[in-house]
Amino acid sequence: MKRIARCDVVEVVRALLLAMVVSLVPSLASALDVEPWDRVLRAHARGEGFDYAGLARDEAGRRDLATFLEGVALMREDEPLSSWLNAYDAIVVSEIVERWPLESVMRVPGFFDRERHRVAGRERTLDDIEHRVIRARFRDARVHAALVCGARSCPALHPRAFRESDLDATLDRLTRAWMASDRGLRVEGGTVRASAILTWYSADFERDGGSVLGWIRRYAPERVRGISDATVVGELGYDWSVNQSAALR
């Protein structure tokens, strides 16, 4: 009886291991393939801007973008943060290229809050993706350095697709670069002004840094050295002109 019991245990363990492997297969198979989007970025992300005109002429690039967005439409709801960031940025680029030449996304009625896109099996706006998925689910103010809305005052578009394996380091690097740039932060004498994004979503930065200035200190300590903690962070004007690469304007 003991021998039979041990055999039964072995069989149960084997069955459990097999079930675990089988349960993982759908997740692995449905993981979002970022290679097409990565090729688009490597070919057309230029410094602090993007070559929309070049992508509009690039048939292979547009096919890659379409292929990636097909994957976005079918991806799992529980995809990690990297997938949602890639989805948002790719949709913005696609919508601008479809309307190229375009002076500003603000010229498109409902660009953020009414235009709908198929994402993870549902019709969603860009605001849905940003506020009801990314900000609500992942709760990390650094995402604001990675979400690029197609305007000159946005942070620079990362020239590679986001990957979960190194996302934490990438978000740290992008945030520091954003706060090192004049579009992210300007300090003149005792006056501190930051991107309007830090005002619009102040709750995110206060949650992660104790205050907006506290969050800035974390990523740009040298730029605000000597600034009093009581200093009120002002707001930089926001340029909504399309972030076409400067050399190509």
Side-chain angles (χ1 to χ4, degrees):
M1 293 295 292
K2 290 180 181 179
R3 182 178 300 172
I4 293 174
R6 282 196 293 270
C7 290
D8 288 345
V9 169
V10 170
E11 290 303 316
V12 168
V13 170
R14 285 177 177 169
L16 288 172
L17 288 173
L18 179 60
M20 289 173 62
V21 171
V22 170
S23 69
L24 286 173
V25 170
S27 296
L28 293 172
S30 64
L32 183 62
D33 178 12
V34 300
E35 289 303 321
W37 175 230
D38 193 68
R39 287 193 292 270
V40 171
L41 289 169
R42 281 187 284 128
H44 298 287
R46 296 281 186 273
E48 295 187 345
F50 190 88
D51 183 9
Y52 296 102
L55 181 54
R57 295 189 301 266
D58 179 2
E59 292 185 11
R62 293 201 314 278
R63 284 197 299 272
D64 272 336
L65 182 54
T67 296
F68 178 68
L69 291 176
E70 288 171 2
V72 165
L74 299 172
M75 74 181 194
R76 294 166 59 95
E77 183 70 29
D78 61 358
E79 283 281 336
L81 174 57
S82 56
S83 294
W84 291 95
L85 295 174
N86 284 323
Y88 183 96
D89 288 349
I91 289 170
V92 170
V93 166
S94 176
E95 291 300 300
I96 292 174
V97 169
E98 284 186 12
R99 296 172 171 85
W100 193 256
L102 180 68
E103 293 181 5
S104 169
V105 295
M106 300 305 281
R107 295 288 185 92
V108 182
F111 187 86
F112 295 104
D113 61 356
R114 293 202 302 275
E115 290 285 323
R116 295 191 170 274
H117 318 278
R118 192 74 173 173
V119 180
R122 292 173 52 189
E123 297 298 317
R124 309 174 199 246
T125 66
L126 285 167
D127 277 357
D128 288 335
I129 299 169
E130 179 178 6
H131 306 310
R132 285 171 271 286
V133 177
I134 294 175
R135 292 180 59 231
R137 189 177 300 172
F138 299 102
R139 299 177 63 78
D140 186 336
R142 294 177 303 169
V143 300
H144 295 292
L147 293 167
V148 180
C149 64
R152 288 186 191 175
S153 286
C154 289
L157 187 64
H158 187 45
R160 300 299 300 267
F162 295 112
R163 289 176 168 81
E164 202 65 24
S165 59
D166 63 353
L167 183 62
D168 186 65
T170 299
L171 289 178
D172 238 42
R173 186 171 65 255
L174 292 179
T175 300
R176 294 181 190 281
W178 183 32
M179 289 296 101
S181 71
D182 284 343
R183 71 172 69 187
L185 180 67
R186 294 182 192 172
V187 183
E188 299 165 344
T191 301
V192 180
R193 292 184 298 154
S195 167
I197 292 171
L198 276 74
T199 301
W200 299 338
Y201 306 114
S202 59
D204 294 1
F205 301 99
E206 291 166 357
R207 178 196 63 217
D208 292 0
S211 67
V212 171
L213 183 59
W215 187 88
I216 292 171
R217 284 194 193 283
R218 183 177 298 177
Y219 297 101
E222 293 299 324
R223 299 197 71 187
V224 293
R225 187 180 299 279
I227 298 295
S228 167
D229 289 341
T231 300
V232 175
V233 178
E235 179 180 320
L236 292 171
Y238 210 81
D239 184 351
W240 282 100
S241 302
V242 165
N243 59 337
Q244 168 81 343
S245 297
L248 302 170
R249 289 173 196 156

